[in-house]
Amino acid sequence: MEHVLCIPREDLPAEWVLETVGSAMPEKLFFDRLRQARAVWIPRSEAEIDPSYKQLIPYMVLRAAGKWIGCYRRNGTEARLHDFWSCGVGGHVNPADADGSNARLEDILDRGLLRELEEEIPRRPSDCLPVFYGVINEEKTNVGRVHLGLVYVVDAPDPALLDAGEELSDFTWVSAETVRGLNLELWSVLALDLIESGTADK
């Protein structure tokens, strides 16, 4: 049974869990705000239907040459997102990412996002690392009500340097000017808005 990393909704800042949220902040501030929050491992089957918890999801946008966005069609395990396009790679954080019972939340999330990046982008330059931008949230869908997105950007100088894995269906590079023309999932819209507002960690 898969367990996933969650934070009780009541432990999160109220402004993070409004109906639609795109909040830019430095990564240090993000973790400072969660210092007193209770991080718990919950069976995914339960977490997916219990909005009193928020699953923390690293959501990494791939950007190349400053003008191309990596996009793929949703057709994975989350049936509620099928037929949408996404420009965020990532997924749930699992107990294996803790690598010990006393691991800090920062370290758990770091291992989780790097694991996801290696699984979904098997070839990339070693210096193409995720940069934190902020958090996104939406309460309009059943998926959104139980997840909190942690937005990162992975920048590469050339699209050819990043190879998408088999899990990313119909992966393609789309210009930043035309990406909004796709049938994007709401998280992707919120993430792009957040990124365009500027990063807090550069």
Side-chain angles (χ1 to χ4, degrees):
M1 179 185 298
E2 181 186 8
H3 285 66
V4 294
L5 180 64
C6 301
I7 301 288
R9 180 184 287 264
E10 65 184 11
D11 287 1
L12 293 167
E15 66 269 22
W16 291 7
V17 290
L18 300 175
E19 186 175 47
T20 54
V21 173
S23 181
M25 69 190 73
E27 192 170 30
K28 182 181 184 302
L29 176 59
F30 168 76
F31 286 114
D32 284 346
R33 297 293 302 274
L34 291 184
R35 199 63 62 196
Q36 303 303 317
R38 296 163 288 167
V40 294
W41 302 104
I42 295 178
R44 182 174 176 182
S45 59
E46 297 177 16
E48 293 290 355
I49 57 174
D50 187 353
S52 66
Y53 291 92
K54 281 286 195 176
Q55 302 165 58
L56 300 185
I57 306 292
Y59 193 79
M60 294 170 279
V61 175
L62 308 177
R63 186 170 60 187
K67 61 181 180 179
W68 300 100
I69 304 294
C71 299
Y72 64 98
R73 195 185 300 274
R74 285 283 194 180
N75 68 354
T77 57
E78 183 47 84
R80 294 171 292 185
L81 295 176
H82 286 185
D83 298 325
F84 286 98
W85 284 85
S86 176
C87 60
V89 302
H92 296 85
V93 180
N94 304 125
D97 300 316
D99 193 31
S101 59
N102 295 320
R104 300 184 310 156
L105 181 61
E106 293 94 321
D107 297 328
I108 295 171
L109 283 170
D110 189 54
R111 281 191 286 267
L113 73 90
L114 290 177
R115 172 182 53 77
E116 288 285 345
L117 186 59
E118 290 169 4
E119 289 174 2
E120 299 187 357
I121 309 296
R123 187 178 71 86
R124 62 181 173 83
S126 59
D127 59 349
C128 289
L129 296 172
V131 174
F132 184 77
Y133 271 62
V135 300
I136 53 174
N137 183 69
E138 62 94 353
E139 302 289 322
K140 296 182 176 182
T141 68
N142 290 333
V143 178
R145 280 188 282 274
V146 294
H147 296 91
L148 182 72
L150 317 181
V151 178
Y152 298 80
V153 173
V154 179
D155 272 309
D158 189 302
L161 297 176
L162 299 177
D163 278 349
E166 295 180 359
E167 293 183 8
L168 303 184
S169 179
D170 298 327
F171 182 86
T172 186
W173 291 99
V174 181
S175 72
E177 290 79 12
T178 62
V179 67
R180 306 283 186 149
L182 297 176
N183 183 30
L184 293 172
E185 62 184 6
L186 182 51
W187 265 25
S188 288
V189 175
L190 294 173
L192 290 173
D193 288 345
L194 176 62
I195 292 164
E196 288 174 5
S197 75
T199 178
D201 262 8
K202 277 193 175 178

